[in-house]
């Protein structure tokens, strides 16, 4: 059973560029989450999908951020016109249908650096 | 807004010592998870507690959920260098409104010195 995978692991970009990250959840996990973590902080919730439907979005998710999960399997998170404040670790997590207590299994993250 | 406060923020101890870290909130949680995170990696789930007063043991780690389900503690016996990492608690509140987000504390950064 493979865990949650994320790609790329590291991304360095210049301010103003667009970036896209991919997350592949654990097979058959129907719920998928995106979090952002900055230095010295715990992860902060960004958005959540149940299958292909995006059901919840945080106020942290500005208009420059968009997430998709077109077939209910992998998900992408795109940041347009990146800013230096977007530099963070972007984490993806998934939960199985039977997850009554909302145990979330995290991927290794994508470290974004905006220059 | 739920808020989880973890203490201490940093902890440096010698190998073999015991330690306890805390996770406190004014909110009641349906469940609370403890994760350990190493630099440059994602959090790894250690345990989930769901019942007030519940105690769970994972080898040298003992987790306790407060009777009122507002707080939790993690006790490590005879710490080893491999225990070094960031310990995060995360609360889930099943409000029935369909929100599944976890609320994380800032974590306790533990260093175990050989």
């Amino acid at each position: 059973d493979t865990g949650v995978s994320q790609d790329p692991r590291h991304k360095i970009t210049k301010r103003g560029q667009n970036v896209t990250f991919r997350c592949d959840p654990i097979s058959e996990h129907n719920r998928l989450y995106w979090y952002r973590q900055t230095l010295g902080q715990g992860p902060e919730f960004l958005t959540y999908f149940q299958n292909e439907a995006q059901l919840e979005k945080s106020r942290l998710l500005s208009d420059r951020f968009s997430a998709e999960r077109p077939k209910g399997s992998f998900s992408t998170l795109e940041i347009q016109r990146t800013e230096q404040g977007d530099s963070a670790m972007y984490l993806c997590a998934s939960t199985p249908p039977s997850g009554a207590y909302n145990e979330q299994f995290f991927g290794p993250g994508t470290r974004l650096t905006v220059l | 807004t739920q808020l989880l406060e973890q203490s201490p923020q940093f902890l440096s101890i010698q190998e073999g010592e015991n330690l306890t870290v805390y996770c406190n909130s004014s909110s009641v949680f349906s469940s609370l998870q403890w994760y350990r995170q190493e630099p440059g990696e994602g959090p790894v789930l250690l345990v989930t507690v769901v019942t007030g007063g519940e105690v769970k043991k994972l080898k040298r780690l003992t987790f306790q959920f407060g009777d009122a389900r507002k707080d939790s503690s993690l006790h490590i016996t005879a710490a080893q260098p491999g225990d070094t990492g960031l310990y995060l608690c995360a609360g889930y509140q099943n409000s029935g409104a369909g929100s599944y987000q976890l609320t994380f504390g800032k974590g306790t950064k533990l260093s175990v010195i050989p």
Side-chain angles (χ1 to χ4, degrees), chain A residues 38-87:
Chain A
T38 53
L39 199 62
Q41 302 293 322
E44 294 175 296
F45 172 79
L46 292 178
T47 190
Y48 147 68
F49 290 85
Q50 181 154 316
N51 300 313
E52 67 275 8
Q54 188 175 19
L55 297 183
E56 191 174 2
K57 290 195 288 187
S58 163
R59 295 174 193 174
L60 293 175
L61 211 66
S62 76
D63 292 343
R64 297 183 296 105
F65 288 69
S66 62
E68 294 182 344
R69 194 181 183 199
K71 297 181 180 180
S73 56
F74 73 92
S75 176
T76 58
L77 177 68
E78 181 183 17
I79 308 175
Q80 295 182 328
R81 305 181 303 281
T82 53
E83 301 173 356
Q84 288 185 326
D86 296 331
S87 295

Side-chain angles (χ1 to χ4, degrees), chain A residues 5 8 14 16 28 30 32 37 39 50 59 73 79-80 88 92-94 104-105 108 110-111 113:
Chain A
S5 62
K14 293 183 179 178
E28 298 181 355
N30 65 331
L32 185 149
Q37 185 177 25
L39 199 62
Q50 181 154 316
R59 295 174 193 174
S73 56
I79 308 175
Q80 295 182 328
C92 176
S94 67
Q104 298 184 11
F105 298 87
T110 295
R111 168 73 65 189
T113 303

Side-chain angles (χ1 to χ4, degrees), chain B residues 52-69:
Chain B
E54 181 177 7
V55 177
K56 280 193 173 179
K57 292 191 174 183
L58 186 66
K59 297 183 180 178
R60 294 175 294 100
L61 278 59
T62 302
F63 304 86
Q64 186 162 7
F65 203 12
D67 290 342
R69 291 185 288 132

Side-chain angles (χ1 to χ4, degrees), chain B residues 6-27:
Chain B
Q6 291 191 245
S7 61
Q9 191 175 354
F10 300 97
L11 188 57
S12 181
I13 62 170
Q14 295 289 329
E15 181 177 358
E17 291 184 351
N18 301 334
L19 66 114
T20 302
V21 297
Y22 301 92
C23 174
N24 295 299
S25 176
S26 57
S27 299

Side-chain angles (χ1 to χ4, degrees), chain B residues 57-112:
Chain B
K57 292 191 174 183
L58 186 66
K59 297 183 180 178
R60 294 175 294 100
L61 278 59
T62 302
F63 304 86
Q64 186 162 7
F65 203 12
D67 290 342
R69 291 185 288 132
K70 293 181 178 181
D71 54 84
S72 182
S73 63
L74 159 59
H75 182 79
I76 302 179
T77 304
Q80 299 177 1
D83 296 327
T84 293
L86 179 68
Y87 288 83
L88 293 159
C89 66
Y92 168 56
Q93 192 174 52
N94 186 357
S95 63
S99 176
Y100 288 95
Q101 64 175 281
L102 291 179
T103 299
F104 280 84
K106 292 185 178 182
T108 293
K109 191 171 184 180
L110 172 65
S111 297
V112 182

